Amino acid sequence: MLSRPLPLNGVWRFQPDLFDEGEALGYPRPDGDCRRWREAAVPGTYDQTHGGLQYYEGAAWYRRTVAVPADWAGRRVLLRFHGVGCRARVWVNGHDAGAMPDGLLPFDLPVDALLLPGAENVVVVRTDNRRLAGEVPGLERGWRTFGGILREVELVATERLYLANPVVRADPRPDGGQLEVVAQVCNDTPGDATVCLRARLLDPEGHVCAERTGDAVALAAGRRLPVNLAATAPGAQPWSPGNPRLYTLSLELSCGGRTVHTETLRCGFRKIEARGERLFLNGNPLRLAGFNRHEDSPSRDMAPDRDQTRRDLEAMKDAGANFVRLCHYPHHPAELDLCDELGLLAMAEIPLYWWNGTAEGEDACRRKLAAAERQLQTLIQRDRNHPSVIFWSVSNETEEQRPEVADGNRRLVRFARQLDPTRLAVHVSNHWQENPQFEDDDVVCVNAYPSLDGCAARGIRGTDLAGSTCFWQEGLATLHARVPGKPVLVTEFGSASLEGVFGTGAGEDTHAAILERESAGMQAPYVCGATVWCWADHAWPPAAFAYMKHLGTSPYGVVTRDRRSLAPLAAARRVFRPRAAAVPPPAPPGAEPPGGWPVTMIRPHLRDLPPVQFPPGFGIRAMRVEEAGLWADIEQDAEGFLSIPVELFFREFGEDLAAVPRRCFILTNEKGCGVGTVSAWYNRDFRGQDYGRIHWVAVRPAWQRRGLARAGLAYAMHALAQWHERCYLATSTARLPAIRLYLDFGFEPDLEPPGAREAWAPVLAALGRPASPA
């Protein structure tokens, strides 16, 4: 029998224990009376089961019966918890099965000796979300009081010859990829065994692209041994935000010709490096743009709705993000699965923050560091095979001006790098101005809120935020001088606002202005990116912060807790999307995708524009916002590669609908019907400058080859010349007729972004044009 999971999610019985009476009342006994206990959904939080427990800190009990299959007799069986809040002790059939010391991380309890195969078994769990004496908010539970069995529970049965902790390293190479697998082979049988490990790598289309069978290995009873396999994968494509290509690795352990254990996981060929003052992904320069995300939905479920999480991450990418910081505590691994699939780079973090060292006592300090190392090891072991993870963060906003805290951060950073040298190890600081302590960090990660700490926190509308821009320009320059030779990442910046409020320090408009003005101060070449705090409003304990002490929900989000967009989201899109559009992903090896590689073209000036000459009977007029449906219909009719919903119009132009009548145009036929579109849009921060943008040029197929695109393009460029000195456009390498037209109009290929020369070379060769950088 191979490994088989038995899910224990669903309905359990639940009993809060305000006065710690449970053990005295016999709750762990299999014959304990639980008739009057409530029903509780697992996974879930205390307050989802009982409305009176919203901020409860204390113990509670869970209980259920489970029928264990008869053929599990003699097997190795684990009781696996994927996350509790925040500690738990477990009894199986009245026997103490062990304790879980850490919240929100997986924990296995061996229970085969306690189970009765072929019969009903009683599982009892006591959870406790109180802070331990001598500890500070954070390490053992996170900074909120969520308690309960927060994530999935299952029983897992395996053979007694099995694989444990497989680790995959998948590095891109110019001709494909290099794969290395290390797994622990364990022999819990009473006799010696000879085992063999086989690995097969499948591409997304299901083709075998690498295969390797290891040598037979003799393994004594009761021993475990690491087994290594290495293979090349010719033609494998690197994983990146622009090309999140995932491969499936199948591991098969056999003994005497019989398969005894299989393991399947996903991987991506990608390499992250910090070289000098810059980040590099797969050898290409990388700038990060993104959001912090609390794992919190309106239902306060710490095992999140996968659909909601997908919508969040997709909306981040739509806003131009390529990075998400999964902040403050270990997030659900399903979030990293989605980051892998969607192409979002990620930072994973343990809950060590607001630590003030020996002010808590030396014993507490030692316990905290030991617990942090344990959590870090568990987190890295769980998540290290996700290509999306590029940072391990060991702490957030600790009091590193204290020597013992600074030493602790250094110790944890070194420990993370020892556990996983393929990723970057950091801590996140809000004391970086007066006391920068980044000697061991791969990247300097900093938080600050100059606008909020200044005008907005006092209720003054932030109409002049030049000081906030200077705060970042000057502060980061000073930091860079004190800690030279390392990239700097702004891990938190932002403000707070209330939905529907405008014209005050807590207004959506002030919040949006702060994001834009502060971002302008983060453009130095040694700044490798910035991360907005935060994606969505989330729950927090009342009185968490003095000037918002009456709010039960944090108002820092660019969307509300139930995901309504706010003005700060539009501001983040204005900051992030131009950079995303300006840097197409490098062209990976292999066949060009159907839509071609994304590329940009630049016209360095708007002088000497061609005349506007429409064919007889055809013309152009201003577009109205209410014609979004007509725009989408024309674009969809003309588009050969993309889906064009009506919503796309508002995503593209919704940040400034007032500009639509003067910048967006409809091409018309002899009857005045709309047969084409073109827009003379703008980008206030393309390469750090104000550029015009030719955007969404399209003509219905029935009206093509009549000179309409040429005339409409000339009209739009004359419009741009009223407001801009230069312009650019984005297209793709599959659109040869359009590129030929743009070249005729003086646009030049933008060869500066990584991978651009490789993408442009076949296009320019096909068109017989020389390559001259824009």
Side-chain angles (χ1 to χ4, degrees):
M1 182 191 73
L2 302 180
S3 61
R4 183 197 303 178
L6 179 62
L8 299 186
N9 302 331
V11 177
W12 290 53
R13 304 304 290 272
F14 173 82
Q15 179 83 320
D17 190 1
L18 276 67
F19 302 115
D20 293 318
E21 304 169 281
E23 289 195 64
L25 293 173
Y27 289 175
R29 295 201 309 263
D31 60 349
D33 185 1
C34 64
R35 289 174 299 168
R36 302 296 298 272
W37 290 22
R38 285 174 171 265
E39 291 187 346
V42 170
T45 61
Y46 287 166
D47 56 318
Q48 287 175 304
T49 300
H50 191 297
L53 300 178
Q54 184 173 5
Y55 300 111
Y56 172 60
E57 296 184 52
W61 294 76
Y62 292 80
R63 179 187 180 101
R64 69 161 291 166
T65 59
V66 55
V68 174
D71 63 357
W72 282 20
R75 308 295 178 182
R76 168 179 173 263
V77 183
L78 303 174
L79 179 55
R80 177 168 296 162
F81 291 81
H82 289 269
V84 298
C86 54
R87 292 172 300 280
R89 181 163 290 280
V90 181
W91 291 262
V92 174
N93 294 326
H95 302 285
D96 189 340
M100 289 165 286
D102 300 317
L104 298 173
L105 282 167
F107 197 88
D108 290 345
L109 297 171
V111 294
D112 39 86
L114 309 179
L115 291 173
L116 301 173
E120 292 286 331
N121 294 258
V122 178
V123 179
V124 177
V125 182
R126 180 188 183 273
T127 62
D128 194 333
N129 68 333
R130 282 173 289 198
R131 182 156 48 99
L132 295 174
E135 298 290 350
V136 296
L139 187 58
E140 75 283 355
R141 69 171 189 181
W143 69 325
R144 287 170 291 164
T145 57
F146 292 159
I149 302 177
L150 304 178
R151 292 177 179 163
E152 299 84 356
V153 188
E154 59 190 351
L155 283 168
V156 180
T158 73
E159 299 276 6
R160 293 195 174 275
L161 272 172
Y162 59 94
L163 291 173
N165 305 326
V167 175
V168 180
R169 178 167 181 168
D171 287 330
R173 296 287 187 267
D175 56 349
Q178 178 68 33
L179 186 73
E180 182 180 354
V181 182
V182 180
Q184 295 286 328
V185 179
C186 307
N187 182 8
D188 286 352
T189 70
D192 298 345
T194 299
V195 296
C196 183
L197 182 62
R198 179 181 180 229
R200 297 174 75 236
L201 186 71
L202 306 179
D203 66 19
E205 292 72 40
H207 304 128
V208 177
C209 53
E211 190 167 7
R212 179 69 189 274
T213 300
D215 297 330
V217 176
L219 190 59
R223 300 295 300 274
R224 57 175 54 202
L225 186 70
V227 175
N228 296 52
L229 290 179
T232 58
Q237 297 182 21
W239 184 99
S240 71
N243 184 42
R245 189 167 175 83
L246 293 172
Y247 293 77
T248 301
L249 178 65
S250 174
L251 299 176
E252 183 179 288
L253 182 69
S254 60
C255 178
R258 183 177 71 92
T259 300
V260 294
H261 194 127
T262 60
E263 195 83 24
T264 300
L265 51 89
R266 297 190 305 184
C267 61
F269 290 89
R270 80 96 189 91
K271 185 175 184 179
I272 185 69
E273 300 171 278
R275 291 189 232 147
E277 299 171 352
R278 304 187 69 181
L279 284 183
F280 291 84
L281 181 68
N282 304 329
N284 299 298
L286 173 67
R287 184 177 175 89
L288 300 174
F291 300 91
N292 288 264
R293 185 179 190 272
H294 263 288
E295 188 177 80
D296 175 56
S297 67
S299 65
R300 299 182 296 280
D301 187 350
M302 299 299 286
D305 179 341
R306 187 180 174 95
D307 291 337
Q308 179 61 67
T309 304
R310 177 180 285 275
R311 288 192 293 271
D312 282 352
L313 299 179
E314 287 178 338
M316 291 181 195
K317 286 212 73 173
D318 181 68
N322 61 3
F323 175 65
V324 58
R325 179 185 175 212
L326 302 177
C327 52
H328 289 183
Y329 41 79
H331 282 229
H332 196 284
E335 290 187 63
L336 290 171
D337 288 337
L338 289 169
C339 289
D340 294 342
E341 296 167 13
L342 298 173
L344 272 172
L345 300 161
M347 175 183 287
E349 190 166 79
I350 63 170
L352 176 59
Y353 43 87
W354 303 339
W355 174 32
N356 62 357
T358 53
E360 306 150 4
E362 292 185 10
D363 288 344
C365 186
R366 285 194 294 268
R367 289 199 307 272
K368 185 175 291 296
L369 277 174
E373 287 186 340
R374 184 179 64 241
Q375 291 198 12
L376 193 58
Q377 183 167 8
T378 304
L379 175 71
I380 292 175
Q381 180 177 302
R382 187 192 72 173
D383 294 337
R384 66 181 301 166
N385 292 326
H386 289 279
S388 56
V389 178
I390 58 172
F391 293 108
W392 303 119
S393 173
V394 305
S395 69
N396 175 72
E397 297 189 353
T398 56
E399 303 285 338
E400 62 247 51
Q401 68 271 24
R402 295 180 177 272
E404 63 275 11
V405 176
D407 290 343
N409 280 326
R410 284 192 286 269
R411 168 176 157 181
L412 292 171
V413 165
R414 291 194 295 265
F415 185 57
R417 191 178 298 111
Q418 173 189 336
L419 293 171
D420 180 13
T422 71
R423 289 177 175 84
L424 305 175
V426 301
H427 82 287
V428 175
S429 173
N430 65 337
H431 293 280
W432 53 276
Q433 290 175 276
E434 68 275 14
N435 194 41
Q437 299 280 347
F438 299 101
E439 294 84 356
D440 289 88
D441 295 62
D442 293 311
V443 173
V444 176
C445 294
V446 298
N447 299 346
Y449 297 86
S451 301
L452 186 63
D453 293 339
C455 64
R458 299 192 303 272
I460 303 170
R461 187 164 187 254
T463 53
D464 181 8
L465 297 171
S468 296
T469 305
C470 290
F471 168 90
W472 286 108
Q473 287 175 332
E474 297 173 2
L476 294 176
T478 300
L479 174 66
H480 176 62
R482 296 178 69 179
V483 189
K486 294 187 179 187
V488 177
L489 174 63
V490 178
T491 32
E492 289 183 27
F493 78 105
S495 189
S497 60
L498 299 173
E499 182 183 17
V501 173
F502 293 85
T504 75
E508 290 188 43
D509 51 344
T510 303
H511 192 167
I514 286 170
L515 292 185
E516 293 193 87
R517 294 299 295 275
E518 291 195 15
S519 294
M522 306 171 187
Q523 304 307 312
Y526 47 81
V527 179
C528 66
T531 316
V532 171
W533 181 273
C534 62
W535 173 248
D537 293 346
H538 60 84
W540 63 2
F545 293 96
Y547 54 83
M548 297 180 191
K549 62 184 177 181
H550 301 301
L551 297 179
T553 300
S554 163
Y556 286 81
V558 299
V559 301
T560 66
R561 196 167 183 217
D562 52 3
R563 289 3 187 219
R564 291 187 301 277
S565 297
L566 302 173
L569 176 59
R573 182 178 286 114
R574 287 192 292 272
V575 171
F576 290 161
R577 288 192 70 183
R579 299 192 183 106
V583 184
E592 182 180 72
W597 305 118
V599 290
T600 52
M601 303 181 73
I602 294 174
R603 199 177 199 274
H605 62 81
L606 285 169
R607 303 185 300 273
D608 306 320
L609 297 178
V612 180
Q613 295 180 337
F614 278 93
F618 291 84
I620 192 168
R621 63 171 176 81
M623 181 184 170
R624 301 184 299 274
V625 172
E626 56 268 26
E627 292 180 305
L630 172 62
W631 177 90
D633 185 64
I634 294 172
E635 292 286 345
Q636 186 63 65
D637 195 18
E639 177 57 52
F641 304 110
L642 305 174
S643 175
I644 310 290
V646 176
E647 294 78 17
L648 181 61
F649 174 85
F650 293 99
R651 291 205 298 268
E652 294 294 304
F653 304 110
E655 296 160 10
D656 192 0
L657 291 176
V660 167
R662 62 177 175 270
R663 287 184 175 264
C664 299
F665 310 102
I666 299 292
L667 310 181
T668 58
N669 64 9
E670 301 95 327
K671 298 181 179 180
C673 298
V675 297
T677 72
V678 66
S679 64
W681 207 244
Y682 61 89
N683 185 334
R684 302 302 188 198
D685 190 25
F686 180 79
R687 291 188 173 177
Q689 295 181 307
D690 186 355
Y691 267 73
R693 182 178 185 183
I694 296 295
H695 205 27
W696 296 104
V697 182
V699 177
R700 294 188 189 274
W703 304 97
Q704 292 176 4
R705 298 182 179 84
R706 305 190 189 198
L708 287 179
R710 181 176 293 272
L713 180 59
Y715 187 91
M717 292 177 69
H718 279 275
L720 285 178
Q722 302 174 71
W723 310 301
H724 304 279
E725 298 178 358
R726 60 189 72 83
C727 68
Y728 81 104
L729 58 85
T731 184
S732 68
T733 54
R735 304 177 192 272
L736 291 181
I739 290 175
R740 181 181 289 111
L741 175 63
Y742 300 145
L743 289 168
D744 290 345
F745 271 66
F747 285 89
E748 301 171 359
D750 181 6
L751 302 180
E752 181 176 309
R757 290 183 179 275
E758 294 81 355
W760 273 108
V763 175
L764 297 175
L767 295 175
R769 302 292 182 103
S772 58

